[in-house]
Amino acid sequence: MNYRHSFHAGNFADVVKHALLLRLLELRRAGGAVTVIDTHAGAGLYDLSGDAARSKEAEAGIARLMAADALPPAVAALAGRVRALNRDGGARLYPGSPRLVVDGMGPDDRYVGFEMNPPVQGLLRAALAGAPGARALGGDGYDQVLEAAEAAPGAVVLIDPPFERPDDYLRAADLAAAVMKADPSATVAVWTPLKDLETFDGFLRRLASAGAPTPLVAEARLRPLTNPMKMNGCAMVFLNPPDGIEAAAREVCGWVAGALGDPGARAEVWRA
């Protein structure tokens, strides 16, 4: 794969994904220790003065969030994590999902992140250094997450591929359904881009045909879904989410659409 998340780190989609991930973990940790299993972990920590400065996506995402006033609580929690990494102000360092998980881990919590790219694996291990309950593993998360989830009943499984390969939607849907069949007490969260309705509807149909339970879908559309070559929005799809995540999804997606979207942007949170 040529995909490098460092170009896209801190964009509007990261704001949606990471604000909802933080709230999901807060809700799950209220019931005790949590294991998080991450299919496509990435580097874990990003310097936005590097690749992201060229794409400028972070300027329209986390930079605008950090400059905003009166953030709703679920969005403010992400701002607080970014602020903690940037003691001198600004948002030069941005935490990926691995750092967001481990920085809030309790003594009995666990994190397992898979990463295929060897140089990125090294960055991931560095980002997780000092977190005794965290492991960075090489290999294809699609092929290894099910076994890891079966060994950790009740895990939170984050499926977050780059959606660069034509089979990513199919593999993500099939893995999500397989995890839930193996462990109905697990919670699965799948991040997807929103480019056009047919592709996303096909993903939801695949989930249903694979036997997944009814998902909660949280969409943030920055513009109409009319250009399939462009990421016009993003969605988080939850299987067996804890009570409270639907309200957080309305809060996060509504803020992102209203504050970061074009005229006509909208948020939708619904049961498929």
Side-chain angles (χ1 to χ4, degrees), residues 5-135:
H5 188 68
S6 56
F7 283 98
H8 310 289
N11 67 4
F12 80 90
D14 269 0
V15 171
V16 172
K17 173 172 57 183
H18 292 146
L20 286 177
L21 176 62
L22 286 176
R23 182 59 177 146
L24 173 63
L25 293 177
E26 181 182 20
L27 292 168
R28 284 295 309 271
R29 284 171 175 147
V34 176
T35 294
V36 177
I37 304 170
D38 193 350
T39 60
H40 297 76
L45 184 65
Y46 300 92
D47 185 341
L48 300 184
S49 66
D51 291 337
R54 285 185 275 166
S55 73
K56 298 188 181 300
E57 291 184 26
E59 292 182 11
I62 192 62
R64 289 177 63 183
L65 184 157
M66 298 302 289
D69 296 321
L71 295 171
V75 181
L78 176 60
R81 291 294 194 90
V82 174
R83 199 172 292 115
L85 281 173
N86 295 272
R87 298 294 186 182
D88 296 330
R92 183 177 68 84
L93 295 178
Y94 184 78
S97 299
R99 275 298 296 267
L100 288 172
V101 173
V102 302
D103 284 353
M105 280 174 55
D108 297 321
D109 290 341
R110 298 291 181 265
Y111 171 83
V112 180
F114 294 93
E115 175 54 49
M116 290 185 66
N117 187 313
V120 178
Q121 288 173 29
L123 296 173
L124 177 61
R125 291 189 179 94
L128 300 180
R135 291 189 296 158

Side-chain angles (χ1 to χ4, degrees), residues 139-177:
D140 188 338
Y142 284 130
D143 295 333
Q144 300 181 72
V145 159
L146 184 58
E147 181 179 356
E150 289 173 339
V156 172
V157 178
L158 178 61
I159 302 176
D160 179 25
F163 289 98
E164 188 176 60
R165 292 171 42 156
D167 64 347
D168 270 332
Y169 287 96
L170 302 181
R171 296 185 78 187
D174 290 348
L175 177 59

Side-chain angles (χ1 to χ4, degrees), residues 170 173-178 180-181 203-213:
L170 302 181
D174 290 348
L175 177 59
M180 294 307 306
K181 285 181 180 178
F203 167 76
L204 295 177
R205 290 194 298 269
R206 182 73 173 207
L207 267 179
S209 66

